[in-house]
Structures are given as structure tokens and as C-alpha cells.
Amino acid sequence: SGQTARPSDGAQAKRERTRRDARVMTAKRLVGAQRDADARLDELLALRATLRTRSSELDARKAALGARRSALAADNGGGDVRPSDRIKLNVGGCRVVTTRDTLTLFPGTRLAALFSGRWESRLQRDRNGRIFMDVNPTAFKKILDFHQFAKIASSEDPPPRPTAPEDLEAVLAAQLTFFGLTAMFECAPAAAEVGEAAAGEAAVGEAA
């Protein structure tokens, strides 16, 4: 009877080497992939640590700002103010009544800073206790009207820039600039935040 042919020792050894080389290559790829994953994980952990540090710094700055505002309120009055407070004004001799949330509608403006409550005891007042503003009343009323309309208008249909008769247009423009409202009418970001010292300097004074 015939005998079954058996593979030569050389062929068998070659197959073993091929399988061994395949296992080695697979192991190398796995090691490389693990190193890449470990490196990526280290990057993510470092990024998380950086973000946590920045978050802590922001929290600290926020706390410091809150403490500063509280200190200003304590030093200058206004510790017990509410958005719904009725504000009685004497604007160039004309009596005006509005609310705090109307005057502070646009945070970061000088007008909002003045009536934020942080300068309450230092605002200039007349003999009847009304906050005195030595500005043109007609122009200021245009600004106040704009705030009142903006408070009830939708973001899709905001009120137009306030205007005044030709002889008062320059006065109105000057008031818009002084109160930090010009930027919002120039297709620019909201007016830059006005420093508290500048707001206080504008507010301080004795009623005549």
C-alpha cells in the first residue's frame, strides 16, 4: 500500500516562523497602540488639569469681583437695592420717575453702573432727595424712552437709536457717549465695561 506524504521539516519550520513572525508583529502593533492610547490619555489628563486650574482662577476672580462689589455697596450705600426700586430723578430741573431695572437694562454701560446701587449714597441729590442729574432733560428723556421700549421689545425687533430735534442732536450724541451707550448703535459689541471708579467719579457731588 502507498504511504501518505508528510511535509518536509523545512516547510514545517517555515510555517512556524511565519506564524511566530505574525504573532510578533501583532504584539508590536498592540504595544504601539497601547503607547499611543497612553500618550493620548496623558494629554487629556494634562488638559483636564489645565482646565481645572483655569476654572479655579476664574472662580477666584469672580469671588474677588463679588467681594469688591459688596465692599463698594457697603462703603457707598445700596446694600438693599432691588431691580423693582422706583428711582426718582431731578434731570436738569425736570422730575422723572422710573425703575432701577430700566436704568440698568444694559450692563456694562456707565448709566447702568451709576444706578447699580453700588454708588447709592454718593449720588448727587436735591433738597427733596431726588437724584440730581445736571444734563439736558429732553435728551435724557429720549435715552430713557429708548430703555423703556428696549425692555419690552423683542430681540428680533429692537427699538431704533434715539433721535432728537436738530438743535439737540449733538447734545443727545454727547449724552449717549457719556452714558456708554454709543457702541450698541454702531453694530459693535455691547459697550465696554465702565470702571467703577469712573462711574463713582461721575456720581459724586453735593446737591446745589
Side-chain angles (χ1 to χ4, degrees):
S1 60
Q3 294 182 346
T4 303
R6 298 177 61 188
S8 66
D9 292 340
Q12 181 68 27
K14 184 177 181 180
R15 286 194 292 270
E16 287 295 332
R17 285 196 301 271
T18 300
R19 286 194 289 268
R20 184 174 63 250
D21 290 345
R23 289 194 295 270
V24 170
M25 291 299 296
T26 299
K28 287 182 178 179
R29 285 196 295 269
L30 290 174
V31 170
Q34 184 63 49
R35 287 176 179 171
D36 291 343
D38 290 343
R40 181 58 179 163
L41 178 59
D42 290 341
E43 292 176 359
L44 291 174
L45 290 175
L47 178 60
R48 184 175 69 175
T50 300
L51 291 175
R52 284 180 173 176
T53 298
R54 291 180 179 176
S55 178
S56 297
E57 292 173 351
L58 289 174
D59 288 342
R61 291 174 62 185
K62 183 178 179 180
L65 181 59
R68 181 167 178 264
R69 287 178 173 175
S70 296
L72 286 172
D75 292 341
N76 304 302
D80 183 26
V81 298
R82 295 177 299 276
S84 59
D85 289 340
R86 293 175 72 245
I87 306 296
K88 297 179 179 180
L89 304 172
N90 176 344
V91 184
C94 295
R95 297 179 180 181
V96 177
V97 179
T98 185
T99 57
R100 190 179 303 279
D101 61 351
T102 296
L103 294 168
T104 60
L105 184 63
F106 300 106
T109 63
R110 185 188 296 266
L111 186 64
L114 286 172
F115 293 97
S116 64
R118 294 189 291 276
W119 304 100
E120 202 71 8
S121 67
R122 301 183 69 184
L123 291 172
Q124 189 175 355
R125 297 177 186 271
D126 65 15
R127 67 184 64 183
N128 296 313
R130 292 176 176 268
I131 297 171
F132 179 71
M133 303 185 69
D134 191 13
V135 296
N136 182 280
T138 302
F140 184 80
K141 189 62 167 60
K142 297 289 184 179
I143 293 174
L144 183 59
D145 287 344
F146 170 78
H147 278 65
Q148 291 169 337
F149 285 130
K151 189 165 68 170
I152 62 175
S154 67
S155 58
E156 294 78 17
D157 187 25
R161 177 191 184 281
T163 58
E166 185 176 353
D167 59 330
L168 286 178
E169 188 58 40
V171 175
L172 175 59
Q175 286 194 28
L176 289 171
T177 299
F178 176 77
F179 290 121
L181 298 163
T182 306
M184 66 182 64
F185 304 115
E186 296 177 345
C187 298
E193 183 171 355
V194 179
E196 297 294 344
E201 185 177 327
V204 175
E206 293 290 332

